[in-house]
Amino acid sequence: MRKTFAALTLLLASTGSAAAADDMAKLKADGANLIKTYAGTLQKALQSAVQGGGPVKAIEVCSVTSPEVAADLSKNGWTISRTSQRIRNPKSLPDAYEQAALVDFLVRLDGGEKPETLVKAEIVTENGQKMFRMVKAIPVNDVCLTCHGTDLKPPVQDALGKLYPSDIATGFKAGDIRGIFTVKKAL
């Protein structure tokens, strides 16, 4: 009887572990898809804006479009946004989890990891609630430098000053981490 009970307990524990692993894999896949959709939508909007009116137009579009896209994609219990170690929009301040992830990513970047590979996903407890959290680095590429680099043209500086008077999201170089995409879901 004891052996049967022990075997049943072990079977239930391993089945629970497999189910938890499957749940985590699904959460990671859903989070990755959400980030991909968000990033792709923003990239298309910015490319269109640059083609239609240059970087100043892109700054205007980004200030409106990014929060709208994030709000549209934040459904079914998911929340998505962007944040950074150097923010442009004061509404985008990182929370404690995101701050720690940004520091971790910067250390890993200094250690030689590529920014496009930096991803973190886990289940954490926040305020007594289990949460799935996932963050992915946003690498700086050459096109980003037009508005986030060190040599900004006067019209770009003027547009940033008008839309983001407290902007500190400049001074980046290609290969830096501009910030992170961040998703979460209460479990």
Side-chain angles (χ1 to χ4, degrees):
M1 179 79 167
R2 280 186 168 179
K3 288 182 182 179
T4 304
F5 180 73
L8 181 58
T9 302
L10 183 59
L11 176 64
L12 290 174
S14 65
T15 303
S17 297
D22 288 345
D23 290 346
M24 187 63 166
K26 178 159 178 26
L27 287 167
K28 286 180 180 180
D30 290 349
N33 285 331
L34 199 54
I35 289 170
K36 183 178 179 179
T37 300
Y38 186 33
T41 303
L42 290 178
Q43 186 175 26
K44 285 178 187 173
L46 289 172
Q47 286 172 344
S48 178
V50 168
Q51 291 172 354
V56 170
K57 185 66 174 170
I59 294 166
E60 294 170 9
V61 166
C62 194
S63 73
V64 173
T65 302
S66 179
E68 288 175 350
V69 173
D72 287 346
L73 293 174
S74 293
K75 55 188 171 191
N76 299 323
W78 288 94
T79 303
I80 186 161
S81 61
R82 296 179 304 167
T83 190
S84 179
Q85 69 277 17
R86 290 189 266 169
I87 61 165
R88 177 153 282 169
N89 182 345
K91 294 177 184 174
S92 299
L93 284 171
D95 64 21
Y97 182 88
E98 294 158 343
Q99 289 173 0
L102 283 160
V103 169
D104 176 54
F105 284 1
L106 292 170
V107 168
R108 290 167 60 188
L109 183 69
D110 285 344
E113 290 187 54
K114 302 271 187 237
E116 58 274 4
T117 66
L118 298 173
V119 179
K120 180 178 180 178
E122 62 187 331
I123 295 174
V124 298
T125 301
E126 295 178 356
N127 300 319
Q129 171 72 54
K130 292 267 187 210
M131 301 285 289
F132 172 75
R133 298 292 307 253
M134 183 175 195
V135 293
K136 182 178 186 339
I138 303 171
V140 174
N141 57 42
D142 289 338
V143 74
C144 302
L145 298 177
T146 305
C147 300
H148 292 285
T150 56
D151 188 24
L152 305 181
K153 305 289 184 223
V156 170
Q157 291 175 352
D158 292 344
L160 290 173
K162 287 177 188 164
L163 288 170
Y164 301 106
S166 301
D167 178 37
I168 58 170
T170 59
F172 290 97
K173 62 185 184 313
D176 284 348
I177 296 172
R178 164 65 191 97
I180 55 174
F181 291 107
T182 177
V183 294
K184 63 183 175 179
K185 183 175 186 173
L187 303 177

